[in-house]
C-alpha cells in the first residue's frame, strides 16, 4: 500500500509518498519562509497564497520522485493535515487532497499535524521499542507526550503560554537576529557563555507543564539593564535556560514513567543543546534516544502520510465534507 501525504498547515508546502512498511519513496518540502522574513514571523495571508501556487508542482514532484505517473498515480490513499494550523493554509491542502482523491478514485484521511510529528521518529526507526516519552517542540506547540505505541498517546504536559520555538523567535527578534530565530541563536550560543546572564528557570514544580513567556521577558529586562553584554552570551544563557527547563521536565517524566525510549520531535528538536541533553538523559536512564534528522524534525509530509496509514487502518477514510480544524488538540484525536 502506498499513500500520498500532503502538509500545508503553516509555511511549508509538502508532499510525500510512503508505503505501509513506512519506507519513504519521496518527500518534497517547499517553504515560503523567505516571503515572511521581513515581517519577523509567518504572515497567514502570504502563506495561504504561496500554498495555492506551490501545491500542484510539489505533489507532482513527490509522485515523479516516487516513480509514479503524476496523472494517474498507483497510490491507494491520500493523507492530509486537517488541523491544527492556519485556517487559510490548511484549506489549500485539504481542498487539494479532496480533489485528487475524487479524480483518482482513492480514499483520503484527515490527519492531526501533531500526531504527524509523533510519527516522525518511526519513519527512521520503524522497529523502535515502546513506550516512548516524547518532547514535541515547534514554533506553535510544546508538549510532553507518553506514547504507548503508534497512535496511542497521552499528553502529560504542555506549555501554558508560548511555544518553545516561539520564544526562540521572539528573543531572536529582540536581539535583531532575524526570523526564524532558533537556528541563529543555536549557532551564536556555541560562542557564548551560558552563565553570562542570570535568567530564571521557569516551571520548577513537579508537573510536566512548560512556560516560556517569563523567560523571554527576563531576557529583555536583563539586556536592557546590562547593555554591554555580548550577543553570543545572551544567546548561550537563553538557550541554557530553555534546555534546563525542558530537560528537567523530561527527567521528571522518566522518573514517573517506565519507558523504553526518549524522543524529540518538532522544529526545536534540531537544537544542538537539547539534542545533547536528551542523549545524556537517555543514557543515564538506560533508554534509547530517538533524535530524528533535521528534515524529519521540521514540517514534512512523510510524517503526515505515516500517521494517515495508521488512522486509515484504525478508523477508515474521512468524508469529503471534512472541515479544517485550526485548533484541533492532540488530546482530542480519537
Ligand atoms: O516544526 P517547525 O518547523 O514548524 C512549526 O510547526 O512550528 O518548527 C519551527 C520552529 C521555529 O520556531 C524555529 O525557530 C525553531 O523551530 N527551530 C529551532 C532550531 N531550528 C528551528 N529552535 C531552536 N534551535 C534550533 N536549532
Ligand atoms: Zn509542525
Amino acid at each position: 500500500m502506498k499513500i500520498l501525504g500532503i502538509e500545508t498547515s503553516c509555511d511549508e508546502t509538502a508532499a510525500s509518498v510512503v508505503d505501509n512498511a513506512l519506507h519513504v519513496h519521496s518527500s518534497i518540502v517547499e517553504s515560503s519562509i523567505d516571503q515572511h522574513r521581513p515581517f519577523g514571523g509567518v504572515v497567514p495571508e502570504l502563506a495561504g497564497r504561496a500554498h495555492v501556487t506551490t501545491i500542484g508542482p510539489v505533489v507532482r514532484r513527490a509522485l515523479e520522485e516516487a516513480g509514479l505517473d503524476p496523472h494517474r498515480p498507483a497510490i491507494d490513499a491520500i493523507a492530509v493535515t486537517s488541523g491544527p494550523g492556519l485556517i487559510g493554509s490548511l484549506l489549500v491542502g485539504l481542498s487539494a487532497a479532496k480533489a485528487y482523491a475524487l479524480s483518482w478514485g482513492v480514499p483520503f484521511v484527515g490527519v492531526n499535524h501533531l500526531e504527524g510529528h509523533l510519527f516522525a521518529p518511526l519513519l527512521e526507526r520503524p522497529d523502535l521499542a515502546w513506550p516512548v516519552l516524547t518532547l514535541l517542540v515547534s514554533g506553535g506547540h510544546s508538549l510532553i507526550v507518553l506514547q504507548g505505541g503508534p497512535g496511542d498517546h497521552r499528553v502529560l504536559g504542555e506549555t501554558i503560554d508560548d511555544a518553545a520555538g516561539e520564544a526562540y523567535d521572539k528573543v531572536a527578534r529582540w536581539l535583531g537576529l532575524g526570523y526564524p530565530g532558533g537556528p541563529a541563536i543555536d549557532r551564536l550560543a556555541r560562542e557564548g557563555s551560558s552563565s553570562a546572564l542570570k535568567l530564571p528557570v521557569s516551571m520548577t514544580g513537579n508537573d510536566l507543564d512548560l512556560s516560556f513567556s517569563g523567560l523571554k521577558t527576563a531576557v529583555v529586562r536583563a539586556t536592557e539593564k546590562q547593555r554591554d553584554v555580548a550577543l553570543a552570551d545572551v544567546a548561550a544563557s537563553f538557550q541554557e535556560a530553555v534546555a534546563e527547563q525542558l530537560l528537567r521536565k523530561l527527567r521528571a517524566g522518566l522518573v514517573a514513567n517506565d519507558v523504553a525510549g526518549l524522543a524529540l520531535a518538532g522544529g526545536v528538536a534540531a537544537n544542538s543543546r537539547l539534542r545533547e541533553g536528551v542523549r545524556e538523559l537517555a543514557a543515564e536512564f538506560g533508554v534509547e534516544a530517538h533524535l530524528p534528522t533535521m528534515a524529519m524534525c521540521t514540517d514534512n509530509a512523510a510524517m503526515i502520510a505515516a500517521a494517515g496509514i495508521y488512522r486509515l487502518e484504525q478508523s477508515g477514510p474521512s468524508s469529503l465534507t471534512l472541515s479544517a480544524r485550526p485548533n484541533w488538540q492532540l488530546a482530542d484525536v480519537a
Side-chain angles (χ1 to χ4, degrees), residues 190-227:
R190 283 174 217 155
E191 298 150 26
S193 156
S194 60
S195 53
L197 221 58
K198 201 108 204 77
L199 296 173
V201 173
S202 317
M203 307 297 283
T204 50
N206 286 332
D207 61 61
L208 296 194
D209 282 339
L210 305 161
S211 165
F212 299 99
S213 113
L215 180 56
K216 174 200 66 197
T217 311
V219 170
V220 171
R221 286 227 184 88
T223 48
E224 274 173 348
K225 228 187 277 165
Q226 215 179 315
R227 288 194 177 271

Side-chain angles (χ1 to χ4, degrees), residues 101-188:
L102 261 178
S103 68
W104 298 335
V106 296
F108 97 105
V109 64
V111 166
N112 181 287
H113 179 80
L114 302 175
E115 182 166 65
H117 272 298
L118 295 179
F119 273 80
L122 259 181
L123 283 162
E124 290 174 341
R125 275 289 309 279
D127 60 338
L128 65 79
W130 304 101
V132 171
L133 185 72
T134 303
L135 174 66
L136 169 46
V137 267
S138 71
H141 306 273
S142 294
L143 321 164
I144 295 177
V145 182
L146 181 63
Q147 291 182 270
D152 166 11
H153 34 71
R154 186 152 62 88
V155 178
L156 300 181
E158 61 191 308
T159 183
I160 59 165
D161 40 56
D162 292 350
E166 193 180 351
Y168 262 95
D169 294 338
K170 285 179 175 169
V171 167
R173 190 175 185 172
W174 168 250
L175 298 176
L177 295 174
Y179 174 82
I185 290 185
D186 195 3
R187 226 175 296 123
L188 203 55

Side-chain angles (χ1 to χ4, degrees), residues 19-99:
D19 66 30
N20 54 346
L22 297 189
H23 177 68
V24 181
H25 294 255
S26 64
S27 181
I28 309 292
V29 181
E30 279 281 335
S31 177
S32 59
I33 198 153
D34 288 340
Q35 293 183 45
H36 308 294
R37 255 186 249 283
F39 304 97
V42 174
V43 182
E45 177 68 21
L46 292 179
R49 285 178 197 216
H51 289 306
V52 172
T53 51
T54 316
I55 187 74
V58 163
V59 166
R60 189 190 172 95
R61 272 171 62 204
L63 294 170
E64 282 173 348
E65 275 196 21
L68 299 169
D69 172 1
H71 302 291
R72 201 116 202 104
I75 53 156
D76 302 281
I78 298 172
V80 60
T81 304
S82 54
L86 302 170
I87 181 73
S89 293
L90 289 168
L91 283 172
V92 178
L94 190 56
S95 310
K98 288 177 182 178

